[in-house]
Amino acid sequence: MRCLLSLVFFTSLSVAADRPNVMFILADDLGYSDLGCYGGDIATPNLDALAKEGLRFTQFYNTARCWPTRGALMSGYYAQQIHRDELPGLGGGGRGVRQSWARLLPDYLKPAGYRNYHSGKWHIDGPVLQSGFDRSLDVRNQGNFFSSKGNALDDVPVVPPENETGYYATTATADHAIDCLKEHAANYQKSPFFHYVAFIAPHFPLHALPEDIALYRDKYLAGWEKMRQTRYQRQKYMGIVNTELSAVERDIGPPYDFPDAFEKLGPGEINRPLPWDDLTDEQRHFQATKMAIHAAMVHRMDIEIGRILQQLREMGAYENTLIFFASDNGASAEIMVRNGGHDPKAEPGSAATYLCLGPGFSNACNTPFRRHKTWVHEGGISTPLIAHWPQGIQAHGELRHTPAHVVDIVPTVLEVAGVEKPKAWQDETLPEAPGKSLVPALAKDEIIARDSLWWLHEGNRAVRVGDWKLVAAKGDPWELYDLSTDRAEAHNLAAKMPDKVKELEAIWQKQTDQFSDLAKKTLNEQPQAPATGKGKGKGKAQAKQRE
């Protein structure tokens, strides 16, 4: 069957030069319902058009956090397999270093003649160009959207001009992507390309252009409950969800505690999704303003994506470029003040401010699901996935309901590129990768067969087998849900079905043990955690690590 599908896709791709280009666009901290084509109220016409002309996956998953998702996306392995997220008693995470065999996608594509480009956030270990990319803009400055200080171009630190008026990270990311595409058209038009475009938006700090904020300034004064209900009704109408709307968990706030932030942010800030009507006028205005800035960041990202798409059209590459769009995790409930602090007298969204979305509107952005970034309930791990490829995908505007995960992208891209993944790297046998090619789902709405999907992040853990999901927040008992009707995770069946809990727990533990056995082989190659001291210094070090 796979051979037949491949034949359908590649009947016109008779020579290497006709292999499809691939572009993967990744947002940062985007909620499941933020895009218009996923029920949102933010203007995203370019992404909506890709969805209308292509496919939307309704059950696509990430790892719940920035760096594990990026490692899994580019390698095709769960982050814990390659030291890029923590395993019990073994460490790993943002400082983890991949094994020598844990190559990234460009290393597999390059021998097949692909040029490889990276524009935007990196957050994977090692220099970008040593990972197989030919050009890179590494937007390392994640604390100020209005400054390029700290960024790197082709792994060389950028020297910012004295006056950076007009710089905005989202636009700069698109500018670099377009420049790469123009160079490719001029010098490498006979070669296919892979382009990884990783926007920081809408990750905190909430920084946006004034003209974009103005479009949404008073849009969210009706509150987060109204926004959730409206988005949910749109999602049901679109057929994206068939679950009830999850209950608001009033006692769930930010995943990390920074009490000093509230002194800096003032009385408008709150750390729980309280009833909107219970807030003061000052709190309602402050919260609605933050959501307006978040929306403005998403809106601007869509505009810049439109510019990239136009460049593809102008260079004649649009029809034969497989474009994916996703987010690295759900919207964030975090609240903190970093990178120079927050000036409460400055215009919200400007460089002198440091605002985070917080749990109220984060909950609404993740409609209809529970929880936020870092949790592995559906709100933390569910992302839109748009797939668009005029020359290779015949269906337009259709939904795909198969559960899928970022580890599936590597095998999918390799199959459409006609590249067979090697069995070994530098004489070292490659461990079996967990991902499955999504090529069959590009042709029709079918379920991709797999044993399970697995999660672990900061003690939050989950496993999905078929439509059964076992999930637990750190320190909490297992919860059991039937996702065929309850992706809201509203009806915990653990007490009624203890045997199913034991069955799924055994599967989760077996996979965890296998990953641990693999990680132990190269544990001595991992860097030692630096001494962080005590008190405030330790807190700052931990906060930096968690970014």
Side-chain angles (χ1 to χ4, degrees):
M1 181 62 179
R2 179 62 56 83
C3 293
L4 291 176
L5 285 167
S6 298
L7 184 62
V8 170
F9 275 108
F10 299 117
T11 50
S12 64
L13 310 184
S14 56
V15 294
D18 288 327
R19 288 179 174 178
N21 310 303
V22 180
M23 177 175 287
F24 199 101
I25 305 173
L26 191 68
D28 199 333
D29 290 8
L30 182 84
Y32 183 79
S33 69
D34 273 337
L35 304 183
C37 55
Y38 278 80
D41 40 63
I42 304 170
T44 54
N46 293 295
L47 288 168
D48 295 350
L50 291 181
K52 185 177 181 180
E53 298 167 1
L55 305 173
R56 285 168 293 166
F57 285 72
T58 63
Q59 299 191 74
F60 193 72
Y61 290 113
N62 49 49
T63 72
R65 200 61 176 275
C66 309
W67 65 87
T69 288
R70 292 159 204 276
L73 173 68
M74 286 290 113
S75 73
Y77 291 93
Y78 285 114
Q80 287 80 0
Q81 294 178 277
I82 58 171
H83 298 294
R84 292 298 294 163
D85 206 357
E86 188 174 357
L87 281 163
L90 298 178
R95 297 181 65 253
V97 177
R98 287 173 289 125
Q99 301 93 328
S100 60
W101 53 258
R103 312 312 303 170
L104 304 187
L105 181 55
D107 274 333
Y108 300 131
L109 293 173
K110 190 178 287 288
Y114 275 77
R115 292 275 296 176
N116 299 283
Y117 306 109
H118 160 256
S119 306
K121 186 172 178 175
W122 181 235
H123 222 168
I124 304 174
D125 60 302
V128 184
L129 298 192
Q130 289 183 20
S131 298
F133 288 91
D134 296 290
R135 289 187 58 183
S136 166
L137 170 65
D138 184 356
V139 183
R140 298 173 180 172
N141 187 341
Q142 297 168 37
N144 186 349
F145 277 73
F146 297 103
S147 173
S148 64
K149 183 179 180 180
N151 293 349
L153 192 64
D154 295 334
D155 292 324
V156 177
V158 167
V159 179
E162 290 186 10
N163 185 351
E164 279 200 288
T165 301
Y167 177 88
Y168 186 63
T170 304
T171 301
T173 298
D175 285 344
H176 181 264
I178 291 169
D179 186 62
C180 290
L181 292 172
K182 287 182 176 179
E183 182 197 36
H184 189 92
N187 301 324
Y188 305 100
Q189 59 178 318
K190 293 185 179 181
S191 300
F193 64 79
F194 169 70
H195 202 146
Y196 176 39
V197 183
F199 290 101
I200 296 179
H203 192 287
F204 58 82
L206 298 178
H207 282 170
L209 302 177
E211 60 267 32
D212 294 337
I213 298 174
L215 297 173
Y216 298 93
R217 187 171 304 279
D218 297 325
K219 187 176 182 67
Y220 300 101
L221 286 172
W224 38 62
E225 291 104 344
K226 177 65 173 178
M227 175 176 152
R228 290 184 84 230
Q229 285 289 342
T230 303
R231 289 188 174 193
Y232 175 59
Q233 293 302 324
R234 289 197 196 101
Q235 290 175 326
K236 287 204 302 181
Y237 176 78
M238 292 175 174
I240 291 174
V241 299
N242 67 335
T243 184
E244 63 191 86
L245 180 61
S246 62
V248 176
E249 297 176 274
R250 303 291 185 190
D251 60 337
I252 298 296
Y256 316 114
D257 187 24
F258 295 94
D260 60 324
F262 294 89
E263 299 177 13
K264 301 170 184 176
L265 295 167
E269 189 59 278
I270 58 172
N271 66 351
R272 294 292 185 273
L274 302 176
W276 189 256
D277 289 343
D278 290 355
L279 306 187
T280 66
D281 287 343
E282 182 177 9
Q283 289 171 333
R284 284 192 288 265
H285 180 78
F286 188 82
Q287 299 299 318
T289 298
K290 291 199 301 175
M291 181 61 210
I293 302 169
H294 174 92
M297 296 171 78
V298 176
H299 177 80
R300 175 54 53 177
M301 178 177 63
D302 183 82
I303 291 173
E304 302 303 342
I305 289 171
R307 292 176 55 224
I308 296 172
L309 299 180
Q310 182 57 31
Q311 174 58 35
L312 290 175
R313 295 184 186 98
E314 291 176 1
M315 60 193 280
Y318 185 75
E319 294 294 315
N320 196 29
T321 298
L322 171 57
I323 301 170
F324 289 108
F325 175 88
S327 177
D328 63 352
N329 44 249
S332 174
E334 294 162 287
I335 296 177
M336 62 188 75
V337 176
R338 297 183 347 206
N339 299 92
H342 170 74
D343 182 356
K345 297 180 181 179
E347 186 66 23
S350 65
T353 64
Y354 200 99
L355 300 170
C356 302
L357 189 58
F361 276 113
S362 172
N363 184 237
C365 289
N366 292 331
T367 299
F369 304 132
R370 283 177 61 192
R371 305 282 173 109
H372 322 261
K373 170 186 175 181
T374 77
W375 282 278
V376 296
H377 287 75
E378 293 291 284
I381 58 176
S382 296
T383 168
L385 178 69
I386 299 170
H388 178 275
W389 182 17
Q391 189 165 312
I393 299 176
Q394 302 302 313
H396 289 174
E398 293 186 6
L399 301 177
R400 295 294 184 258
H401 297 96
T402 184
H405 190 282
V406 290
V407 295
D408 298 332
I409 295 302
V410 165
T412 302
V413 172
L414 293 181
E415 181 166 350
V416 300
V419 174
E420 184 175 353
K421 184 179 175 180
K423 303 294 184 183
W425 187 268
Q426 296 180 346
D427 298 324
E428 187 168 1
T429 301
L430 296 178
E432 184 179 357
K436 305 295 181 181
S437 173
L438 302 180
V439 165
L442 299 183
K444 63 179 182 178
D445 189 17
E446 70 172 59
I447 302 299
I448 304 297
R450 67 177 80 233
D451 292 334
S452 66
L453 291 170
W454 176 94
W455 291 268
L456 176 64
H457 182 67
E458 296 200 344
N460 304 312
R461 58 204 191 279
V463 65
R464 176 169 177 168
V465 178
D467 285 325
W468 290 105
K469 181 181 178 184
L470 194 68
V471 60
K474 182 179 181 180
D476 289 349
W478 287 112
E479 303 166 2
L480 177 67
Y481 299 103
D482 179 359
L483 299 189
S484 66
T485 57
D486 186 24
R487 286 189 71 198
E489 296 169 317
H491 304 285
N492 182 8
L493 303 175
K496 295 181 179 179
M497 305 181 69
D499 290 343
K500 178 61 71 172
V501 172
K502 291 179 181 179
E503 173 192 341
L504 295 182
E505 182 181 25
I507 293 172
W508 182 89
Q509 189 62 55
K510 180 180 179 181
Q511 204 152 355
T512 304
D513 292 343
Q514 290 174 346
F515 295 166
S516 297
D517 290 343
L518 179 63
K520 287 176 183 176
K521 294 179 180 179
T522 49
L523 200 57
N524 62 331
E525 300 174 6
Q526 295 305 299
Q528 297 299 308
T532 56
K534 298 180 179 180
K536 292 184 179 179
K538 182 177 181 181
K540 290 180 180 179
Q542 289 174 336
K544 185 177 180 68
Q545 173 68 11
R546 285 169 174 153
E547 170 61 31

